[in-house]
Amino acid sequence: MMSSSQGDAPGRGMRVAFAGVAHWHFSVDARYLALAQAAEVDIVGLSDDDEALARRRGEELGCGWTTDVDELVTRFKPDLVIALPRPDRAPEQVGRLLEHRVPLFAEKPLGVCASDTWSLVERAERGWATVAFPQRYQPVWAALERLQAADALGEIGHVGVRMVNGPPWRYRSYNVPWMLDPAIAGGGPLRNIGIHGADMLTKLVGDRGLSVIAATKTDRVHHEPIEDFISALARTDDGIVVTLATGYTMAPPKPGDMDIHIGANGSYLIQRRDVLTIYPAEGQPDVIENPPGWNMYEAIFVDALRRLRADQPPIATIRDCARANELVDAIYAAASR
């Protein structure tokens, strides 16, 4: 069992239910079940569209189960629902959960296109709902705030994000082959992995406006209905050049590759996986590393529990997810032209 971030139990006494236990993040990669158990929440119920799976998971965990998300709330009365919807079912199922005003920790992308996610925003903002964008806990964000506060960042000229994960066949091994069907998943790695980069970019550029200039993709490696790799070039209204690249072209399933770079005339920041290097205009570089064993999914999950307890707003909202999906939509459109 994993320990929580500070050795305490941030979820103790909190009634939690899972909606969508067929999702691979329930037990693989993010491992929300293990995170919930480590936080010592009380798992009171779960649901899934697959009745046999819901029953089996319920028996394994010793909790009630259902195939109906409305019953998940009315019968088990959770303080928080961890929603792991299939993208094509997210607008309807998450929409029903939001109608109950139950707090949500929701897995992206919450739809197969931006309009799906936008349909949830108004209801989400009547209550408390956060989206799993764990890259927001990477050290680059605190460094940016510190540099800006010290007037040491300067004018930004370009930013970019590259996120490459392992081959798509791993989703078959996770028993979620629908991830390779763009009609169900909303696309390929861009919608699944690249949406994290899209969220980082839209957060970084804020209200500057962002237009996709060009994009291209390939499926020559794995020959699946989804893309293997896709790359996009965009530009803000005030001239910042923005790039986003993502794919399933890492040869092994793990560990994947990620880097973020921000080029400005006061400082240049580049984060490669867990190491952030800041190159100031004058002086020596500063290297910041995540501590050993640091887990970004643990960071976002524990922080969500604490924010909910303290009646604080979530770090990432369904509105943020809709904005990221808009950029994903625009990149797919450009790559298809």
Side-chain angles (χ1 to χ4, degrees):
M1 181 180 294
M2 300 170 63
S3 62
S4 60
S5 293
Q6 298 178 352
D8 57 359
R12 187 175 294 159
M14 186 177 293
R15 297 172 60 85
V16 170
F18 283 91
V21 295
H23 197 287
W24 75 97
H25 274 316
F26 177 73
S27 56
V28 181
D29 290 348
R31 301 176 63 210
Y32 291 123
L33 173 61
L35 294 177
Q37 291 171 330
E40 297 189 17
V41 304
D42 184 8
I43 301 174
V44 296
L46 57 83
S47 71
D48 197 81
D49 299 321
D50 183 333
E51 181 175 350
L53 178 62
R55 179 187 294 110
R56 187 172 80 246
R57 296 287 197 205
E59 291 172 351
E60 290 170 353
L61 295 175
C63 68
W65 61 273
T66 179
T67 58
D68 188 316
V69 294
D70 294 296
E71 185 182 14
L72 184 70
V73 178
T74 59
R75 178 181 166 194
F76 301 117
K77 296 179 171 53
D79 300 314
L80 173 71
V81 172
I82 300 171
L84 311 173
R86 218 173 72 170
D88 63 328
R89 295 172 178 167
E92 189 265 336
Q93 293 182 345
V94 174
R96 285 160 61 193
L97 289 168
L98 291 171
E99 291 291 346
H100 289 283
R101 304 288 182 95
V102 61
L104 289 185
F105 180 100
E107 183 60 41
K108 51 74 194 163
L110 295 175
V112 299
C113 60
S115 61
D116 282 350
T117 315
W118 277 115
S119 73
L120 301 170
V121 169
E122 182 180 351
R123 282 170 288 178
E125 292 179 346
R126 297 176 197 157
W128 194 96
T130 192
V131 178
F133 281 139
Q135 298 288 352
R136 289 191 174 212
Y137 290 80
Q138 294 286 3
V140 66
W141 299 109
L144 268 177
E145 291 179 5
R146 184 171 67 253
L147 291 169
Q148 289 171 328
D151 198 25
L153 180 64
E155 193 69 37
I156 296 174
H158 60 92
V159 299
V161 177
R162 180 171 56 89
M163 305 179 76
V164 178
N165 278 14
W169 55 254
R170 64 199 174 98
Y171 291 107
R172 293 192 178 93
S173 70
Y174 293 165
N175 294 316
V176 287
W178 49 262
M179 278 297 294
L180 310 183
D181 183 345
I184 294 175
L190 177 60
R191 186 78 63 185
N192 181 37
I193 305 298
I195 195 171
H196 291 288
D199 173 65
M200 287 189 280
L201 292 171
T202 53
K203 172 178 166 60
L204 184 63
V205 304
D207 296 327
R208 287 182 170 95
L210 188 60
S211 301
V212 176
I213 307 303
T216 189
K217 60 184 177 179
T218 182
D219 62 358
R220 72 187 301 268
V221 178
H222 298 294
H223 308 290
E224 298 282 0
I226 56 173
E227 74 274 10
D228 293 325
F229 184 84
I230 187 166
S231 182
L233 174 68
R235 185 181 187 277
T236 65
D237 293 346
D238 59 351
I240 298 174
V241 175
V242 175
T243 59
L244 175 62
T246 189
Y248 293 148
T249 46
M250 169 69 75
K254 302 289 181 183
D257 191 21
M258 184 275 287
D259 68 63
I260 308 162
H261 67 263
I262 302 168
N265 58 5
S267 297
Y268 187 94
L269 295 83
I270 181 163
Q271 181 168 332
R272 180 74 186 276
R273 293 184 58 79
D274 289 331
V275 180
L276 169 66
T277 305
I278 304 169
Y279 297 90
E282 297 180 358
Q284 296 300 309
D286 185 17
V287 179
I288 301 168
E289 293 189 49
N290 287 324
W294 182 83
N295 181 317
M296 64 181 177
Y297 280 101
E298 182 181 8
I300 190 173
F301 186 77
V302 169
D303 188 47
L305 297 181
R306 290 179 173 150
R307 285 171 178 263
L308 179 58
R309 280 195 185 280
D311 198 27
Q312 295 175 345
I315 194 170
T317 66
I318 290 181
R319 180 180 291 273
D320 295 328
C321 189
R323 292 185 66 216
N325 271 312
E326 282 189 336
L327 178 54
V328 169
D329 284 356
I331 292 171
Y332 273 133
S336 296
R337 287 196 291 268

